[in-house]
Amino acid sequence: MHRSLTAACLLALAGPALADDVTTFTLENGLDVVVIEDHRAPAVTQMVWYRIGAADEPPGHSGIAHFLEHLMFQGTDDMAEGAFSATVEENGGTDNAFTSWDYTAYFQRVAADRLDLMMKMEADRMRDLQLTEDDVTTERQVILEERSQRTDGDPGSLLNEQMAAAQFMNHPYGIPVIGWRHEMAALSRQDALDFYQANYAPNNAILIVAGDVQPDEVRALAEKHYGPLAPSDRIKPRERPQEPPQLAERRLAMQDERVSEPYLVRSYLAPERNTGDQRKAAALTILAELLGGNQTNSVLARNLQFDRQVAVWSAAFYDGTSVDPDTFGLYVSPVPGVSLADAEKAMDEVIAGFLVSGPDPAQFARIKTQVRAAEIYGRDSAGGLARLYGQALSVGLTVQDVQDWPEILQSITEDEVMAAAREVLNRDNAVTGWLTPPQETAQ
């Protein structure tokens, strides 16, 4: 079936709202629990989201949140090292974890009748992780090698890291999630235990269970396994250093012999989604789709790739699901023979024209349809719903905020989009980066 027809069918089936069957409750020890019923398949996803991430690390200990994520797969008093993932696999499931600036999450997807076992194991490592010096030495080498491969071995990742450090002079979003190498190399067993014992506790966590389950069943299992766990008295408010006013654009030019296709990227400081106040973030979401969300009919693609033919690729990005203000960004990769200076000039001309003329009404309507379809596709699996709610709740949004979001997106007007564009697309709040091979230099 053609994608547009599929989207139209989904929209018709969805009706005026995207209603998720969600139940919430909180255990006496402070654990927030969200149950999302989806009875289409006899499977379940369990996710535990901790309200702790790289932006909450103590100074000088960058990478400790991600390091602990690795160490959480070591043993407890009741489970041998490596037995967690092995047990999940033996029961036909999959598991993994991930760390961001604002949260750390762990998940398993298994048959619904294995939920009891998954809860038992996840609750066990929430407060009873055991770490030896050998565990720490081994995993520290693993994260250092991960940095070598994913960051140091990738010029684009290095540019992103340098741009974030330039964008955020004071806020810890300027520190990479994986950490700075010299600080990662110094992380100790005691550092890991201190971070774990302070922050890994039921009163700093959200349990998401999505799939073929009943709320009463989940409540009983949560009370059984997580209920006895003691809360932490060391949870600190997320009062992070904030950015001072930014008064001038920052620019970086990075050269690397591994670069085969030069490109430029620009990031602007942009507001986040806030509970009960999501309209500006929704307007920026629509703006990103208008400017660079589609490689055939977005503003940047239409002007730079087809009309002027100066770019082979262009894009815009924004995700306001964060605790503090983050970024709105633009990418352009020029065609061979077009310099980054000329590509950037063309991009700036397109943005300036957009700020004057605004979006084409027909394109604006199409974008809303595409955004609506993407929301439906994103909610089409229990695992996707678990991630959607977990990420939002971890940064301070509510279940109601998540459920209101699709209709807020649809209600955004052209005037709201243009107001957000004029506020955010301010070069004084921007960092512009060029990535080139050694022979091309910044002008």
Side-chain angles (χ1 to χ4, degrees):
M1 184 181 292
H2 193 273
R3 181 176 176 87
S4 62
L5 180 58
T6 304
C9 293
L10 283 169
L11 291 172
L13 289 171
L18 300 175
D20 305 319
D21 193 356
V22 177
T23 302
T24 64
F25 55 90
T26 302
L27 302 187
E28 289 186 7
N29 59 11
L31 179 68
D32 291 323
V33 184
V34 178
V35 183
I36 307 168
E37 295 182 63
D38 182 347
H39 301 288
R40 293 175 296 174
V44 65
T45 296
Q46 174 185 232
M47 301 192 79
V48 172
W49 296 71
Y50 292 96
R51 297 182 184 92
I52 191 75
D56 305 301
E57 296 167 339
H61 293 74
S62 64
I64 189 68
H66 173 251
F67 187 32
L68 183 57
E69 176 212 313
H70 279 248
L71 292 169
M72 283 288 283
F73 290 88
Q74 302 301 320
T76 69
D77 284 347
D78 300 320
M79 186 166 293
E81 177 183 342
F84 191 104
S85 293
T87 303
V88 174
E89 185 176 2
E90 288 168 3
N91 282 270
T94 57
D95 75 313
N96 214 323
F98 50 88
T99 305
S100 181
W101 282 278
D102 295 314
Y103 47 76
T104 311
Y106 303 82
F107 68 91
Q108 306 88 41
R109 178 172 171 80
V110 293
D113 62 0
R114 301 296 194 274
L115 179 59
D116 185 17
L117 175 60
M118 295 302 106
M119 280 204 188
K120 177 182 178 181
M121 294 195 302
E122 195 65 85
D124 182 34
R125 68 175 175 177
M126 180 179 282
R127 296 298 273 166
D128 196 26
L129 182 66
Q130 304 295 306
L131 297 178
T132 67
E133 289 290 353
D134 286 344
D135 294 334
V136 171
T137 299
T138 299
E139 289 303 320
R140 187 171 55 230
Q141 190 57 44
V142 169
I143 62 170
L144 287 168
E145 181 60 29
E146 182 177 342
R147 182 179 167 93
S148 295
Q149 293 180 358
R150 296 187 179 182
T151 304
D152 301 331
D154 179 6
S157 295
L158 288 172
L159 177 66
N160 291 340
E161 186 176 83
Q162 293 296 305
M163 288 186 65
Q167 182 83 74
F168 297 100
M169 296 190 301
N170 197 43
H171 193 284
Y173 284 164
I175 300 173
V177 171
I178 198 167
W180 301 117
R181 176 175 288 276
H182 66 287
E183 293 183 352
M184 296 166 65
L187 294 174
S188 69
R189 175 177 177 271
Q190 193 59 52
D191 292 333
L193 286 174
D194 287 346
F195 193 78
Y196 168 74
Q197 291 165 357
N199 299 296
Y200 275 54
N203 55 323
N204 202 35
I206 304 159
L207 170 65
I208 312 280
V209 179
D212 189 20
V213 293
Q214 298 292 337
D216 288 346
E217 168 199 5
V218 174
R219 181 188 287 270
L221 290 175
E223 291 282 7
K224 172 184 174 183
H225 295 297
Y226 294 99
L229 302 180
S232 171
D233 60 1
R234 295 165 58 188
I235 306 299
K236 297 180 180 179
R238 303 179 97 172
E239 297 173 350
R240 300 159 171 174
Q242 297 298 302
E243 283 299 293
Q246 297 198 3
L247 306 178
E249 180 184 6
R250 296 130 198 202
R251 300 185 63 87
L252 298 102
M254 178 176 287
Q255 299 182 16
D256 194 298
E257 61 186 8
R258 297 169 293 183
V259 175
S260 59
E261 297 180 356
Y263 67 84
L264 68 95
V265 57
R266 180 181 297 153
S267 60
Y268 304 82
L269 280 181
E272 76 282 14
R273 288 168 63 183
N274 290 306
T275 183
D277 181 18
Q278 302 185 85
R279 295 196 69 83
K280 187 177 292 186
L284 290 170
T285 300
I286 300 292
L287 177 64
E289 292 298 317
L290 279 168
L291 291 180
N294 186 292
Q295 287 300 299
T296 59
N297 59 18
S298 67
V299 171
L300 290 175
R302 190 171 63 248
N303 282 274
L304 300 180
Q305 295 168 223
F306 297 105
D307 293 348
R308 305 189 186 202
Q309 297 185 1
V310 297
V312 294
W313 181 75
S314 59
F317 64 87
Y318 171 74
D319 181 1
T321 314
S322 56
V323 171
D324 296 311
D326 205 341
T327 56
F328 182 102
L330 307 171
Y331 286 99
V332 173
S333 180
V335 299
V338 173
S339 69
L340 287 183
D342 288 340
E344 183 177 351
K345 179 182 177 182
M347 181 186 77
D348 288 337
E349 289 171 353
V350 171
I351 296 300
F354 176 82
L355 291 175
V356 172
S357 63
D360 173 75
Q363 174 69 353
F364 190 77
R366 283 195 297 270
I367 288 296
K368 282 198 170 183
T369 300
Q370 292 168 6
V371 168
R372 179 76 165 185
E375 285 289 320
I376 294 171
Y377 287 125
R379 295 166 182 256
D380 196 39
S381 72
L385 282 170
R387 283 177 176 260
L388 188 70
Y389 279 90
Q391 182 184 19
L393 297 177
S394 296
V395 301
L397 297 170
T398 67
V399 168
Q400 190 63 54
D401 291 326
V402 176
Q403 296 180 339
D404 289 345
W405 180 244
E407 291 309 310
I408 291 174
L409 286 169
Q410 294 304 303
S411 71
I412 293 299
T413 66
E414 291 182 33
D415 287 345
E416 287 177 292
V417 170
M418 295 310 297
R422 294 185 182 105
E423 175 187 337
V424 170
L425 301 179
N426 176 355
R427 295 283 287 272
D428 287 345
N429 291 331
V431 177
T432 301
W434 288 14
L435 184 63
T436 69
Q439 64 268 23
E440 182 165 350
T441 58
Q443 298 179 4

